[in-house]
Amino acid sequence: MTATYGPGAGTVPRPGGAPSRPGRTRRTLLRGLPVVPSVILMLLFLAGPIAYCVYYAFTDMRLTGASGTHFVGFGNFTKAFGDSNFRNAVELTLIFTVLSSIVGQNVLGLFLAALMRSASKSVRSTVSTVVVVSWVLPEVVAAYLLYAFFRREGELNAILHVLHLPQQNWLFTLPIVAVSLANVWRGTAFSMLVYSAALQEIPAEITEAAEVDGAGRWKRLWHVTLPMIRRSIGTNLMLNTLQTLSVFGLIFVMTRGGPGNRSETLPLYMYEQAFQDSLIGYGTAVALMLLAVGALFSVLYLRLLRTEV
Amino acid sequence: MAVVSSPKPRVHGERVRSARERRVRTRSRRRTERIVVNTILLLIAVLFLVPLAWLVMASLNGTADLRVRVPHPMTLDNFHRVLNADMTYRPILNGLILCGGATALCVVCAVLAAYPLSRYESRYKRPFLLTILFTTGLPITAVMVPVYAMFVQVNLIDTMYGTILFLGSSALPFAIWLTKNFMDGVPLVLEEAAWTDGASSMQTLRRVVLPLMWPGITVVTIFTFLSMWGNFFVPFFLLLSPDQLPASVSILNFFSSRGTVEYGQLAAFSLLYSAPVVVLYAVMSKVLGGSSALGGALKG
């Protein structure tokens, strides 16, 4: 027993020696008691709504009209897949996720973290401060800043004008690109922090050895660095994707899903169906699909962590 | 050694020279590389900085529009205009009540739950922790529609305490996970002494464990508060009456209720609303010893 002391290691010595079986059960219950408030809250406000979500998704519940709620089976789902607006939302969500999380935040974050290792100290701290500040700003504030940046009379077009590059009304012509770039601006810091930590853990001898063996910069990156941080890449991609799937405020403030539905990702589509058209049942079915995709990624994330621990 | 050097002394000398040359070349290459890297990084930083610069400049500008300009006239007028009960004080106070209440609820429950999870073995522990971790990944946005419907049915909609309960609960999984990780770092030895002296587990938690892990508790508290302070969609869905809305939602009024948008006032308000976030984040990274530690902590 004395050998297992230490955080999380084995059992704690219990006063009173080995008790009988009912005594042990009672003690387990007593020890578990502090978990109870959390469990109750999470059951009521997280598990409850998810269970509701599963139930409502198969009904035609509405907020208005007292016609009552009926069970409609898979009606909501067949309706969704037949609806071009829904397919549009799925496509846009995919574009938004790939463009902003998988390509944008992930690659830019790794790029920044890698470059910072060979930058001078003052530059490094300046860059990380600026990037981190754009990360910690509240979502709505970030949304307004980027709204101002991408507007026709905003700063982006002014910069493009100075550089003699074509300008356009970004929020109108390429709304999904604008909100994706906005999400890159807002979310890159997280990837940068994760990758900075991961790169620091690579022993210097390994990269030096590769350099002595004549491996160029790209070869070193591809054959040495990336394989060594592949777990961080996995975790980072999962967390970014999960976060990006549930982005609502940023897009809502910048474009409200418009013009038309050209930046209406799944969360915004869900909102529109459930609240503006008060089709709670249908909106919940959409939410359930979003939840299912999130759950899938979450399970993948758990598996990644398990190989790491 | 002698075998190598005596027959071909010339080659040896060349090799030394070329090695020195290579070193010089490497050093100058390193220097150019550093200049290139610094330039690229600063360019990226400028791109990130432009929207932030707009925020600061526009808030001080009497005639602000969407461009980044030197304030003309330079004035604090925008701040004077927004610093009143309706536009700033009430939303900020609502935010404090909402996020403060929910953070308190969340951190107290998380500490209580983390204690047995960190200290005792049980066959329920692993499944419980896996469920918690799984829940942290779920998109909470997706749950909002059923939560809204549920809150309408049980009359919790548009109530401050209902929203506090939901906000606190939705932050619980991550808070428990983080607290448990911090608590695992507190050695058991001192607790054993306390147990031997006959202290109950709750006394031990309060008197021994918590004082030893205050940096961890600070980080969990600040992190939870910040994520709620910036949260838009939960109060947006669950609170309806204008006088209950926190700053994260009331900011929408700058666009909808007036015909023309006062960009200067919007910027001033955004700055006031964001200031606590930047300060608290700085405190948190100081406690953690550098911002990279948070990346590590979040990684799990």
Side-chain angles (χ1 to χ4, degrees), chain B residues 32-54:
Chain B
T32 27
E33 184 185 305
R34 172 162 289 199
I35 293 171
V36 171
V37 164
N38 283 345
T39 318
I40 297 176
L41 280 177
L42 286 176
L43 277 177
I44 296 177
V46 166
L47 279 180
F48 272 85
L49 196 62
V50 170
L52 295 172
W54 177 79

Side-chain angles (χ1 to χ4, degrees), chain A residues 150-169:
Chain A
F150 282 110
R151 275 289 295 250
R152 186 205 293 273
E153 58 274 41
E155 195 56 35
L156 177 60
N157 278 341
I159 296 174
L160 291 175
H161 178 71
V162 170
L163 297 175
H164 297 290
L165 289 169
Q167 302 141 47
Q168 48 187 315
N169 191 356

Side-chain angles (χ1 to χ4, degrees), chain A residues 39-52:
Chain A
V39 171
I40 290 177
L41 280 178
M42 287 191 291
L43 281 179
L44 277 179
F45 293 100
L46 291 176
I50 292 174
Y52 255 51

Side-chain angles (χ1 to χ4, degrees), chain A residues 7 12 31 34 38 45 49 115 119-120 136 140 144 148 155 158 185 211 217 242 246 270 275 287 298 302 305, chain B residues 30 33 37-38 48 50 67-68 109 112 119-120 133-134 137 141-143 148 166 169 184 195 237 248 251 255 277:
Chain A
V12 167
R31 279 178 172 178
S38 298
F45 293 100
L115 282 190
S120 55
V136 298
V140 193
Y144 276 127
E155 195 56 35
W185 184 84
E211 202 176 345
R217 191 186 312 274
L242 285 168
S246 57
M270 176 194 87
F275 295 106
S298 205
L302 282 189
L305 275 190
Chain B
R30 282 261 154 85
E33 184 185 305
V37 164
N38 283 345
F48 272 85
V50 170
R67 297 281 306 280
V68 183
C109 288
L112 286 175
R119 271 18 192 177
Y120 304 125
L133 205 56
F134 170 74
T141 325
V143 194
Y148 177 84
F166 179 74
S169 313
D184 282 348
W195 267 321
F237 279 84
S248 59
I251 195 171
F255 267 74
V277 177

